[in-house]
Amino acid sequence: SQTIHQWPATLVQPVGSPLSLECTVEGTSNPNLYWYRQAAGRGLQLLFYSVGIGQISSEVPQNLSASRPQDRQFILSSKKLLLSDSGFYLCAWTLGVAGGTNTGELFFGEGSRLTVL
Amino acid sequence: KNEVEQSPQNLTAQEGEFITINCSYSVGISALHWLQQHPGGGIVSLFMLSSGKKKHGRLIATINIQEKHSSLHITASHPRDSAVYICAVKDSNYQLIWGAGTKLIIKP
């Protein structure tokens, strides 16, 4: 069965420090991968998505970057965090459009709560 | 105007009540998702549908493609149903457009 792991679950970082959130998917290949951010009391905002290794699309210009070094690994990074980067970050995956058994369903990690002080 | 609108934004009901959460959208879609976000933040996919109706336990999701409207119903609601329910549509480019969510509180 497919699973998704995201870590760390909670992170408190000072302004100006770097960030690395990691997401890995098991039990499938060539997934579409997504990073979302949810500010307090607000809906999900798509930050990045990837349809393959090394392929990253950015939805919102910001202080963050994403990388996909392996098929089932998606990393969200920042070189210098800002206060406004605080929020709840969610990794998600779905099978690609051209995938085999494409249910189209979305699967989410448990999320990473980032507080920048 | 948002492309995906959910109503109500907040809903408080007594245990046992029948719950309806609505989602209207303004774009052409290939599918619509209903998801549940628990108080701890984790999100679980409830339904993905492109036509008709789906049922899972006490949850029922319907969609009317002509009217661009979907509803999520909860029968015999229970305090453990308290969560944020999110509607998201997949547009013709397979991009997801998210509703802002409906916060549901079920009181015992």
Side-chain angles (χ1 to χ4, degrees):
Chain A
S1 62
Q2 303 98 341
T3 57
I4 178 169
H5 302 283
Q6 183 182 340
W7 68 92
T10 305
L11 200 57
V12 180
Q13 292 284 101
V15 169
S17 64
L19 171 74
S20 181
L21 301 179
E22 189 163 342
C23 173
T24 59
V25 179
E26 297 177 357
T28 189
S29 59
N30 198 30
N32 288 348
L33 295 170
Y34 306 84
W35 276 113
Y36 288 93
R37 177 169 59 200
Q38 186 178 40
R42 302 185 66 179
L44 289 168
Q45 178 189 34
L46 179 63
L47 301 176
F48 301 95
Y49 70 94
S50 171
V51 298
I53 297 174
Q55 300 179 58
I56 308 294
S57 296
S58 174
E59 290 296 301
V60 182
Q62 57 207 318
N63 186 42
L64 302 168
S65 62
S67 61
R68 186 170 177 173
Q70 300 180 46
D71 180 45
R72 290 170 287 180
Q73 184 184 29
F74 205 23
I75 298 171
L76 183 69
S77 305
S78 174
K79 292 183 179 178
K80 289 185 177 181
L81 284 168
L82 305 172
L83 287 173
S84 58
D85 292 324
S86 293
F88 189 62
Y89 291 83
L90 286 151
C91 178
W93 75 273
T94 185
L95 283 172
V97 172
T101 305
N102 182 10
T103 66
E105 284 191 64
L106 271 172
F107 301 93
F108 282 86
E110 287 301 310
S112 300
R113 194 165 302 279
L114 171 66
T115 303
V116 182
L117 301 174
Chain B
K1 190 183 188 307
N2 292 335
E3 292 169 304
V4 178
E5 295 274 1
Q6 283 187 240
S7 63
Q9 289 185 331
N10 295 281
L11 179 58
T12 300
Q14 291 296 129
E15 183 174 357
E17 287 189 35
F18 181 81
I19 302 299
T20 296
I21 298 171
N22 297 298
C23 177
S24 296
Y25 53 92
S26 58
V27 297
I29 69 168
S30 56
L32 182 143
H33 296 261
W34 280 104
L35 307 105
Q36 179 191 53
Q37 185 170 27
H38 298 287
I43 295 180
V44 175
S45 178
L46 299 175
F47 297 102
M48 187 193 74
L49 63 167
S50 54
S51 65
K53 174 181 174 179
K54 286 190 176 181
K55 184 176 187 292
H56 187 259
R58 296 180 293 107
L59 299 176
I60 303 166
T62 64
I63 188 169
N64 185 317
I65 297 295
Q66 287 73 31
E67 295 184 2
K68 295 188 174 181
H69 180 269
S70 175
S71 293
L72 177 69
H73 305 286
I74 305 175
T75 61
S77 60
H78 190 276
R80 65 174 175 266
D81 297 326
S82 298
V84 175
Y85 292 84
I86 304 170
C87 170
V89 301
K90 192 177 293 183
D91 68 13
S92 54
N93 295 318
Y94 297 94
Q95 297 303 308
L96 285 166
I97 307 171
W98 296 82
T102 294
K103 185 174 182 180
L104 173 66
I105 298 173
I106 304 295
K107 294 186 174 181

